[in-house]
Amino acid sequence: MDSLEIKGGAPLHGEVEISGAKNAVLPILAATLLTRETCVLRRVPDLADVKTMCQILESLGAKTKIEGDTVTVRAEKVRDFVDYDLVRKMRGSLCVLGQLLARLKKATVSLPGGCLIGTRPVDLHRKAMEALGAKVNIENGYIIAKARKLVGGEMFLGGRAGPTVLGTANAMMAATLAEGITVIEHAACEPEVVDLGKFLNSIGAQIQGLGSPTLTITGVKELGGAEHEVIPDRIEAATYAIAGVATKGEVTLKGARPEHMKAVIEKLRESGVKVEQSKGKLTFKRGRGLHSVHITTLPHPGFPTDVQAQMMAFMTQTPGISIITERIFESRFTHVQELERLGAEISIEGPSAIVHGVQNLSGAELMASDLRASAALVIAGMVAKGTTRINRIYHLDRGYERMDAKLKKLGGKVRRVK
Ligand code: EPU
């Protein structure tokens, strides 16, 4: 298993090209199962999760071809069964449920099981499929959905933490081929859900209201093929912006969409970071002084849970006490103990982490846990004095395209150790 060795203290400077969004491309790849025609996706990031999703599509009978950042999928025939071995690698695989049900009227998809960042219930996915007329059972670790036909319905997809991203994706995908009109209330508004919706409309679906909490979908008989370019990854963009300011450097993002990053930009500005926008590029650098900030993670357009850990690493470098409250996933604080090994002072009170700044961090050997927690450790390691070694970086490879190379290009002293 690879690890990442970081010699801390080097400020990051320069431009970084933002890759396609992992959380947009995964459901879009899954959506290609809705049609027999060929779909061509561009700006697909080279990630372990993308490879896993392609394996899932292949296991279901689709043909996939990866050439550079283009993935071509043709799913002339599909099967209705997704095995645990593939699903356990990636929770996102649950988003094949809606399409299989829509196309085959039955789907058997393994439940992904436990997850480090918190419980991951599927009640809203189930509710969505049932609202379209399916019978859903959970048996032997599998979610089994069956319907004679899917019929448009009304559904309210608000859960205990608000809307669900992949639940909305599943509902939207199943409804595209249902008979009649479906209305999804309390739908997720994340840019990735909008991108999926745009892809679906480009293959012939009729979805209105994308980006709002109410989606209206008029079912069609069949869908065709299309080419689609995936949106840039707002979480990757935020990670490099934060890494730049945490290391007292200046990082310019190429290809990021500021309109997808409003909450992150706003909080960075509040903490004293200067954000400049010119000619399609976004530059982040420290202003005269930094301040503590308080953050609560919320569904979009609120502060994203996927940037909480990275922001916490930065907060160790802002003076005073900062409080982060995690409202989406109840145990998404696995990075705290590892940050403490670098010398960070963080205490957890219920859903909140209280971060004391400014801290002099010093390098140590660390264990990556989940994807975004690993990104936080990389940022903290780049700030810390001396050498930090992060083990199990396959977590990073799941969601960050060539992170070590991108950091090196920015002047980071990082080395992948086989
Ligand atoms: N929830 C329910 N019932 C459900 C589904 C979800 O109560 O049936 C709850 C969850 O427990 C959580 C909240 O709803 O409290 C939000 O979960 P959501 O369903 O939106 O998460 P997801 O769709 O499984 C996606 C991303 C995550 C990201 C979340 C929140 C993908 C592949 N994954 O997960 O990304 O954190 O939305 O924005 O799109 C990551 O990239 O590191 C990552 C974990």
Side-chain angles (χ1 to χ4, degrees):
M1 252 180 261
D2 292 4
S3 41
L4 201 67
E5 199 176 85
I6 304 173
K7 287 206 164 54
L12 297 184
H13 276 284
E15 284 190 359
V16 60
E17 179 96 38
I18 300 307
S19 303
K22 166 180 89 78
N23 290 347
V25 77
L26 294 178
I28 293 175
L29 277 168
T32 62
L33 295 177
L34 284 166
T35 169
R36 290 183 172 79
E37 304 294 326
T38 303
C39 297
V40 181
L41 306 181
R42 305 206 186 278
R43 200 208 262 251
V44 176
D46 180 11
L47 301 173
D49 273 8
V50 168
K51 293 194 179 103
T52 304
M53 185 52 93
C54 287
Q55 277 175 2
I56 291 176
L57 299 186
E58 293 267 342
S59 82
L60 286 166
K63 298 268 171 287
T64 66
K65 192 162 73 179
I66 305 180
E67 288 165 303
D69 71 351
T70 300
V71 176
T72 308
V73 187
R74 191 170 170 90
E76 272 179 274
K77 283 192 181 151
V78 286
R79 282 187 285 276
D80 67 343
F81 180 82
V82 188
D83 191 53
Y84 176 60
D85 254 4
L86 286 165
V87 176
R88 74 185 165 82
K89 286 191 192 165
M90 186 180 75
R91 282 206 50 101
S93 35
L94 192 60
C95 68
V96 294
L97 180 72
Q99 305 76 279
L100 294 182
L101 183 62
R103 189 155 160 191
L104 303 173
K105 309 292 173 286
K106 57 180 182 172
T108 305
V109 181
S110 171
L111 285 171
C115 175
L116 264 178
I117 67 179
T119 54
R120 309 282 294 261
V122 294
D123 55 314
L124 296 173
H125 296 257
R126 183 176 183 156
K127 188 175 175 186
M129 299 305 115
E130 285 172 347
L132 297 173
K135 281 211 158 35
V136 184
N137 285 314
I138 294 181
E139 280 168 31
N140 309 113
Y142 285 81
I143 181 162
I144 303 168
K146 282 185 194 155
R148 211 169 45 80
K149 62 176 182 177
L150 291 185
V151 182
E154 288 186 13
M155 60 185 91
F156 180 85
L157 289 189
R160 64 192 165 91
T164 160
V165 171
L166 291 180
T168 302
N170 260 330
M172 215 158 73
M173 293 192 266
T176 56
L177 291 177
E179 212 176 274
I181 293 176
T182 298
V183 179
I184 307 175
E185 299 279 8
H186 215 348
C189 303
E190 270 67 6
E192 293 77 16
V193 175
V194 176
D195 202 31
L196 167 67
K198 285 185 175 164
F199 168 73
L200 290 169
N201 282 345
S202 77
I203 60 171
Q206 290 187 21
I207 307 171
Q208 284 175 329
L210 289 168
S212 81
T214 306
L215 298 175
T216 307
I217 301 154
T218 308
V220 295
K221 285 228 152 41
E222 71 183 1
L223 296 164
E227 287 197 18
H228 180 82
E229 183 171 306
V230 177
I231 53 165
D233 196 315
R234 64 193 168 105
I235 309 300
E236 187 201 27
T239 303
Y240 287 111
I242 293 171
V245 290
T247 58
K248 301 187 181 155
E250 182 175 330
V251 166
T252 298
L253 310 177
K254 266 171 77 181
R257 297 238 188 114
E259 68 274 22
H260 292 171
M261 300 173 65
K262 283 186 184 158
V264 172
I265 291 176
E266 201 49 41
K267 280 295 167 189
L268 285 174
R269 281 205 169 116
E270 203 182 309
S271 73
V273 169
K274 285 194 169 161
V275 185
E276 282 161 18
Q277 200 178 331
S278 115
K279 295 184 190 143
K281 294 180 184 173
L282 268 178
T283 301
F284 295 77
K285 62 181 171 200
R286 289 189 184 200
R288 283 231 178 92
L290 293 180
H291 327 282
S292 57
V293 280
H294 302 323
I295 285 169
T296 300
T297 63
L298 289 167
H300 191 75
F303 194 92
T305 172
D306 291 344
V307 185
Q308 176 258 107
Q310 302 88 313
M311 197 68 182
M312 192 184 295
F314 176 47
M315 284 169 166
T316 66
Q317 302 307 301
T318 58
I321 291 179
S322 296
I323 302 175
I324 299 192
T325 304
E326 173 59 59
R327 290 275 177 228
I328 308 293
F329 294 113
E330 72 271 20
S331 12
R332 206 171 196 179
F333 282 139
T334 55
H335 41 288
V336 170
Q337 283 188 336
E338 300 299 302
L339 290 174
E340 282 175 340
R341 299 201 71 235
L342 297 177
E345 250 183 75
I346 303 166
S347 51
I348 297 185
E349 300 279 347
S352 300
I354 298 154
V355 189
H356 298 254
V358 174
Q359 295 145 7
N360 293 320
L361 305 182
S362 59
E365 186 162 349
L366 306 176
M367 198 67 86
S369 47
D370 87 284
L371 167 59
R372 309 302 172 188
S374 312
L377 302 187
V378 171
I379 294 172
M382 312 225 27
V383 169
K385 264 202 188 122
T387 303
T388 292
R389 190 181 174 119
I390 306 176
N391 296 321
R392 292 202 194 162
I393 56 156
Y394 60 84
H395 288 290
L396 279 176
D397 298 332
R398 283 191 44 215
Y400 287 95
E401 187 175 46
R402 293 186 284 276
M403 189 186 225
D404 46 335
K406 287 190 181 185
L407 287 172
K408 257 190 215 156
K409 198 167 161 259
L410 291 171
K413 297 201 164 33
V414 298
R415 192 165 70 95
R416 182 183 277 262
V417 184
K418 293 273 175 199

